[in-house]
Amino acid sequence: MAHVRDTQAAGEDTVRFLGSDPDSVILQKSSVGVSCADDFGVDGDDVSRDQPSIAWAPDLKDGDAGYRVAVESLRTRWSERGWKVTEEPVTDPVTGKATGLREIHTTDDHGVTLSLSPGRHSGEGRIVADGACVRHDGYWHWDTDD
């Protein structure tokens, strides 16, 4: 399915841009999203809804300073492609206090939402490529060629 391939390719391109091999830093692949379910939609026979989403945790050199460089590099790259970049402050999940870091988001030409946020460890990023909800016939798997 082309949308699944576009989602994975967009994330892999971002991970490579930040200097990591996507296969070595992948965290998870998911096809389920809450935004795909609604109580009013009616799908025909053999029509399914899935939301391809993939996450990676690339290492970024120099801790928080390296993360800030990655944010600015991606902001520049995405802006040059004509994609709107949004950002939000990151807060510590335990204390709720601002960390001084920013999370950035964009949507590419295929409708894939890309984001970079701090990872669990200093010097680690978290890149997510989210393909949004898509209806399709039958069943798909991440390794599908159709």
Side-chain angles (χ1 to χ4, degrees):
M1 193 170 156
H3 190 65
V4 175
R5 284 191 303 271
D6 289 343
T7 301
Q8 185 161 345
E12 287 176 347
D13 179 63
T14 303
V15 172
R16 278 189 201 94
F17 177 76
L18 294 178
S20 291
D21 171 22
D23 292 333
S24 69
V25 295
I26 192 160
L27 290 174
Q28 68 183 17
K29 290 182 177 183
S30 171
S31 62
V32 179
V34 250
S35 64
C36 264
D38 69 31
D39 295 332
F40 305 108
V42 177
D43 296 324
D45 292 338
D46 293 329
V47 174
S48 299
R49 298 181 199 191
D50 287 297
Q51 183 170 347
S53 181
I54 312 171
W56 295 265
D59 289 328
L60 305 171
K61 296 179 187 206
D62 302 323
D64 287 351
Y67 178 81
R68 286 183 179 93
V69 168
V71 166
E72 290 310 312
S73 296
L74 281 178
R75 177 191 317 282
T76 299
R77 185 174 204 236
W78 292 344
S79 295
E80 287 173 349
R81 292 179 172 188
W83 304 342
K84 179 182 177 187
V85 179
T86 60
E87 68 176 54
E88 59 190 63
V90 175
T91 56
D92 183 288
V94 175
T95 66
K97 294 182 179 181
T99 64
L101 300 176
R102 312 293 285 171
E103 179 176 331
I104 63 170
H105 307 265
T106 195
T107 302
D108 77 1
D109 296 329
H110 297 287
V112 175
T113 301
L114 297 164
S115 65
L116 172 64
S117 60
R120 294 184 345 186
H121 309 287
S122 179
E124 181 181 81
R126 178 175 168 85
I127 294 175
V128 176
D130 186 335
C133 188
V134 62
R135 286 185 166 109
H136 57 91
D137 291 334
Y139 172 82
W140 65 268
H141 185 270
W142 282 102
D143 300 321
T144 187
D145 289 330
D146 49 34

